Amino acid sequence: MKLVFGVHAHQPVGNPDEIIEKAFDKCYMPFLETLANFPRVKIAFHISGHLMEWALEKREHFIELLKELHKRGNVELLGGGLYEPILSSIPKEDAIDQLKLFSEFIESVFGERPKGAWLTERVWDSFIPSIFKEAGITYTFVDDYHFLCTGLDEENLNGFYHTEHEGYKLYLFPTNQKLRYLIPFRSTSSVSQFLRALNGPGIIFDDYEKFGLWPETYEWVYEKGWLKEFFNIINQGEITTLLPSELLDQGNSLGLVYLPTVSYFEMGEWSLPAKKAFLFKEFTTFLEKENLLQKYKGLVRGGQWKNFFIKYPESNYMQKKMIFISKRIRELPEGPSKEKAKRCLYRAQCNDAYWHGIFGGIYFPHLRESIFKELSRAESLLFGNRTEVFIEDIDLDDSKEIYIYTPQLTCIIKPNLGGSIRELTFHPNHINLVNTLSRKKEHYHMIQRAQNNAKREENSISTIHERIYKLDTNSIEFDLHERTFGYEEVSFDGGKTWVSLISEKFEIESIEGLSFTLRKEIAVSSKKEVAFRKKIELVDNFLKIMYPLIGETPLDLRVFLNIKLTSIDFTSLKIDRKALQVKEENLSEGNEIEIEDKISKTKLLIKANQYSKISIKQIYTFSQTEEGYDRIYQATEIALTPLELKEAFSILFKVEKS
């Protein structure tokens, strides 16, 4: 029995040290220390670039042990994108550069340049062979599902294939999904039995974290001895492990293959819109119950990874902003500033914050925060002390945005989203105050009853995909639009009914320096329209939103400001200098709001020129994780309603360091 065994370790840019330390203590180190005792066990490792950098600085003994095992011949290291990007979601030049930088990094630490590369989330696109070739990569791992989708049979996937793009050849290892679900969740005898039945080598390259960090796995893998038992079977010669390069050297490709644009099977479910994802799950569950899923699996496909940019407009904005910055960095002259800006950009390309599946992803504010932090640093290096204004379709929604950069603030105005502000980044603290996420209905919110699947055999534990949790959604609210900054509701009947303007498309009426007037004709009745204007102006660290008078038309106005604080547990709030509890929903009156975010050390002042009703509440989402559901704070909604709109209404928003 032959086995190619690989593990992939990754921690996102922006993850706190305590999370990474836990991963080393519960998973990475115990695994490596166990491996050191079994000289005949060979394993391929992919340690993402950010994690490798962290370990070199804070867990050097892990790197030293990995180097020792590499010299001993037990370990082969794979490269990849340095900061774990989805390669098809970033510019080609950046992808090649990230691949090269990581290969150089690995060579500098371990003395050998990697021949293979990890393909992040196994997101395949047809051009991948050409960028790998330019970066000196000869092989990668994808799922067996990729091959099933191209028409091959499951029993013919025990080996390696090759593909090409524009004549650039790349070897492909199809990882076995059944083997991924067996290791380490089922008994070692079940794994041996499965490998014995294969017509060729078994191939697995899966998450390192399943060996100690996922639910139940630390006790199972280490305390109950699964890993030692499995390595002992290999050490005794019952199973022969091969490094990927060794298998390539031993035989020939099983043939030429062309893969579709696809990722692993579960990604097809997660990337669909909620209703379709629910139907997809319902359909595949039906096929599984009828023992038909494996037969038809290659013909059953959900969405593709890039659907997340449609599913989450906030993700689309981050990704398109990243591309906007990338283009301008490439225009810089060569030198230290350009290289520093590129490193910030590459860290902002880390994939985790751009999507959501079984793990939190985009729902974790600290991951989105890290993207905006790195983009802010890149912007500051790119534009310096200049002021820049761009009017172009940055997020590719077929409508132009107003992009304003100053050394203090970046402000992105979206005329087609009610003239609201999608980003307001305070550069001195590298914080985007509109790092918000709306409350979306996900397909797992539609599950009617809890299901904790029974274990398939007595001596086993459940995988994360076998854990389905029920969430009571009766009390959960969902949003109909993005939670941006500075959109309005208006009333023409004294506040009995309100009409939201967030979905309305405003026109740019005039531009004077950093002052922008937007206009929208809104219906007062079936026979009458009025011109609704708002003026947005930037001066240093001040943002001002003004609403000129609207003739004789009786009008009530409510303005919504959504901001994202680092943590409401470490935030102070005052309305007209009276201290209030941030966690509680506040209904008050006044014209001045002071907020201090003590973690980011940022002070906010919101001052209306008229006495107003003030409503402040916190916005939470409920998202699935590998351990159940997380209730996560996503935004603070502030609504200002002037009590008597007798003159032009204005709101001053000031940001400063505390």
Side-chain angles (χ1 to χ4, degrees):
M1 294 183 289
K2 293 182 179 179
L3 175 66
V4 175
F5 187 8
V7 290
H8 151 69
H10 170 59
Q11 295 292 325
V13 175
N15 246 13
D17 279 358
E18 56 266 27
I19 292 178
I20 303 177
E21 287 166 357
K22 180 182 177 183
F24 272 93
D25 293 339
K26 304 285 286 186
C27 178
Y28 304 151
M29 276 307 299
F31 185 95
L32 212 58
E33 288 167 346
T34 304
L35 176 61
N37 296 319
F38 295 92
R40 293 186 64 176
V41 179
K42 296 182 178 182
I43 296 182
F45 282 80
H46 172 257
I47 315 291
S48 66
H50 169 65
L51 189 55
M52 192 89 79
E53 289 177 340
W54 191 95
L56 274 169
E57 181 183 351
K58 299 179 180 179
R59 289 295 177 97
E60 192 175 357
H61 56 292
F62 173 84
I63 298 295
E64 291 304 315
L65 182 53
L66 193 59
K67 286 166 72 173
E68 181 184 325
L69 293 171
H70 177 259
K71 288 178 184 177
R72 202 170 78 178
N74 295 90
V75 165
E76 180 171 354
L77 289 154
L78 273 72
L82 179 59
Y83 293 107
E84 201 71 4
I86 301 291
L87 293 176
S88 62
S89 74
I90 66 175
K92 180 180 178 180
E93 295 87 345
D94 295 349
I96 294 169
D97 201 24
Q98 284 223 41
L99 289 164
K100 287 181 176 178
L101 285 170
F102 196 22
S103 290
E104 291 166 5
F105 181 29
I106 290 173
E107 187 175 21
S108 70
V109 176
F110 296 94
E112 184 179 12
R113 199 175 184 89
K115 301 180 182 69
W118 178 252
L119 183 64
T120 303
E121 298 301 328
R122 285 96 81 195
V123 177
W124 177 265
D125 219 317
S126 60
F127 64 85
I128 295 293
S130 61
I131 64 171
F132 274 171
K133 179 67 176 179
E134 287 194 49
I137 298 298
T138 60
Y139 74 81
T140 191
F141 286 79
V142 291
D143 278 29
D144 52 6
Y145 179 62
H146 293 59
F147 292 80
L148 297 178
C149 289
T150 205
L152 292 177
D153 294 323
E154 184 181 5
E155 58 267 23
N156 296 326
L157 300 181
N158 303 310
F160 60 89
Y161 285 79
H162 67 279
T163 190
E164 62 83 29
H165 180 69
E166 298 178 345
Y168 296 112
K169 186 167 68 174
L170 181 70
Y171 290 106
L172 301 172
F173 289 89
T175 64
N176 190 298
Q177 187 193 45
K178 291 179 180 177
L179 200 53
R180 294 203 322 269
Y181 279 49
L182 287 171
I183 296 176
F185 306 102
R186 305 294 183 249
S187 66
T188 56
S189 59
S190 296
V191 177
S192 296
Q193 184 180 352
F194 181 81
L195 289 173
R196 197 175 292 113
L198 292 179
N199 181 27
I203 299 171
I204 177 174
F205 209 124
D206 205 9
D207 293 324
Y208 200 156
E209 292 79 16
K210 69 198 290 187
F211 295 93
L213 205 56
W214 288 6
E216 294 187 77
T217 56
Y218 181 79
E219 179 186 11
W220 173 253
V221 171
Y222 302 112
E223 293 180 351
K224 292 188 177 180
W226 187 95
L227 192 63
K228 284 185 179 179
E229 185 179 327
F230 185 59
F231 282 176
N232 195 49
I233 292 171
I234 297 170
N235 219 47
Q236 290 173 355
E238 184 179 339
I239 299 171
T240 301
T241 49
L242 297 168
L243 297 174
S245 294
E246 291 178 332
L247 186 60
L248 285 173
D249 292 340
Q250 285 185 8
N252 295 318
S253 163
L254 295 174
L256 176 65
V257 67
Y258 291 97
L259 305 179
T261 300
V262 71
S263 181
Y264 47 86
F265 186 69
E266 296 88 351
M267 187 70 82
E269 172 192 328
W270 299 334
S271 59
L272 286 170
K275 289 182 180 179
K276 294 295 183 181
F278 182 79
L279 291 176
F280 182 85
K281 183 67 175 177
E282 191 175 58
F283 179 55
T284 56
T285 300
F286 166 76
L287 290 176
E288 195 167 26
K289 286 179 179 177
E290 297 296 321
N291 293 318
L292 294 172
L293 182 58
Q294 206 58 35
K295 179 179 179 179
Y296 294 108
K297 196 170 187 180
L299 305 175
V300 179
R301 293 175 63 186
Q304 60 169 314
W305 189 86
K306 284 187 178 179
N307 283 1
F308 288 113
F309 299 146
I310 309 302
K311 191 171 183 176
Y312 303 108
E314 298 90 345
S315 170
N316 182 65
Y317 174 74
M318 285 192 300
Q319 192 254 355
K320 301 304 185 292
K321 166 79 180 289
M322 173 269 291
I323 290 175
F324 175 86
I325 296 297
S326 176
K327 287 178 181 177
R328 277 145 189 86
I329 288 175
R330 286 200 296 274
E331 295 168 358
L332 288 175
E334 298 300 323
S337 290
K338 182 175 184 177
E339 291 306 309
K340 287 179 182 177
K342 281 167 63 178
R343 282 295 176 127
C344 295
L345 171 71
Y346 294 164
R347 285 192 285 270
Q349 292 172 344
C350 183
N351 77 90
D352 307 74
Y354 292 97
W355 65 284
H356 170 60
I358 198 73
F359 301 102
I362 192 171
Y363 277 92
F364 287 157
H366 69 280
L367 298 184
R368 303 194 309 269
E369 181 184 324
S370 72
I371 301 294
F372 285 113
K373 182 176 290 187
E374 297 298 342
L375 290 175
S376 170
R377 288 170 174 161
E379 279 179 287
S380 296
L381 289 163
L382 177 61
F383 298 126
N385 291 321
R386 305 195 308 271
T387 295
E388 298 282 353
V389 176
F390 303 92
I391 299 178
E392 58 182 88
D393 184 8
I394 295 164
D395 59 10
L396 297 183
D397 63 353
D398 207 29
S399 293
K400 291 182 178 180
E401 284 76 50
I402 304 171
Y403 182 121
I404 312 123
Y405 168 86
T406 74
Q408 290 285 317
L409 294 171
T410 283
C411 179
I412 310 296
I413 304 168
K414 287 187 63 63
N416 71 325
L417 197 62
S420 63
I421 293 168
R422 174 64 273 180
E423 178 186 349
L424 189 63
T425 291
F426 181 53
H427 292 298
N429 285 352
H430 301 301
I431 181 173
N432 174 21
L433 297 163
V434 197
N435 174 26
T436 55
L437 186 72
S438 61
R439 299 171 294 187
K440 298 170 176 62
K441 191 165 190 177
E442 300 283 2
H443 74 291
Y444 48 77
H445 292 144
M446 304 176 193
I447 295 172
Q448 295 300 309
R449 61 187 180 87
Q451 296 177 2
N452 277 310
N453 289 3
K455 296 174 182 177
R456 298 182 184 180
E457 59 181 67
E458 185 177 342
N459 189 23
S460 67
I461 60 172
S462 298
T463 74
I464 56 173
H465 302 294
E466 292 168 341
R467 298 168 184 273
I468 304 174
Y469 302 91
K470 172 69 175 68
L471 177 68
D472 181 7
T473 58
N474 291 330
S475 60
I476 301 177
E477 296 181 68
F478 300 105
D479 293 320
L480 299 176
H481 54 75
E482 293 179 63
R483 286 201 161 269
T484 51
F485 182 97
Y487 56 87
E488 302 80 29
E489 288 181 354
V490 293
S491 175
F492 297 103
D493 58 7
K496 294 177 183 177
T497 57
W498 291 88
V499 177
S500 176
L501 302 184
I502 181 122
S503 299
E504 300 294 334
K505 183 174 182 177
F506 282 62
E507 302 295 329
I508 302 173
E509 186 174 75
S510 65
I511 302 174
E512 298 177 18
L514 297 183
S515 180
F516 305 85
T517 301
L518 307 176
R519 171 185 172 132
K520 172 65 184 175
E521 300 291 329
I522 56 176
V524 177
S525 65
S526 59
K527 296 182 179 180
K528 184 178 180 182
E529 288 187 340
V530 297
F532 182 88
R533 290 183 177 86
K534 62 193 295 185
K535 187 176 183 181
I536 300 174
E537 183 174 278
L538 265 73
V539 180
D540 297 324
N541 60 335
F542 291 84
L543 171 74
K544 194 171 185 181
I545 304 176
M546 294 161 279
Y547 299 91
L549 287 174
I550 312 174
E552 300 300 320
T553 305
L555 175 102
D556 285 292
L557 175 68
R558 182 183 293 156
V559 183
F560 290 88
L561 311 173
N562 285 288
I563 60 174
K564 174 66 180 70
L565 303 165
T566 309
S567 170
I568 56 173
D569 292 320
F570 298 94
T571 297
S572 64
L573 167 68
K574 293 180 182 178
I575 295 180
D576 284 0
R577 301 187 180 180
K578 179 184 177 182
L580 298 169
Q581 289 295 318
V582 182
K583 287 185 178 181
E584 298 174 0
E585 186 169 339
N586 288 288
L587 296 172
S588 187
E589 292 183 359
N591 70 331
E592 187 172 287
I593 305 168
E594 297 175 74
I595 299 173
E596 183 177 2
D597 185 333
K598 295 177 182 178
I599 293 180
S600 69
K601 297 180 180 178
T602 306
K603 274 188 177 180
L604 310 175
L605 174 67
I606 302 168
K607 191 169 185 178
N609 69 333
Q610 296 177 40
Y611 208 66
S612 303
K613 292 180 182 178
I614 299 173
S615 167
I616 300 177
K617 67 178 181 179
Q618 313 309 324
I619 304 301
Y620 294 89
T621 56
F622 292 82
S623 58
Q624 75 173 357
T625 71
E626 68 275 22
E627 296 184 356
Y629 286 93
D630 274 352
R631 180 177 183 262
I632 303 175
Y633 160 70
Q634 299 291 356
T636 294
E637 178 194 87
I638 301 171
L640 297 167
T641 308
L643 294 177
E644 292 187 67
L645 196 59
K646 292 182 178 179
E647 59 183 49
F649 183 57
S650 66
I651 299 170
L652 178 72
F653 188 76
K654 180 183 178 183
V655 194
E656 61 184 359
K657 282 189 169 187
S658 60

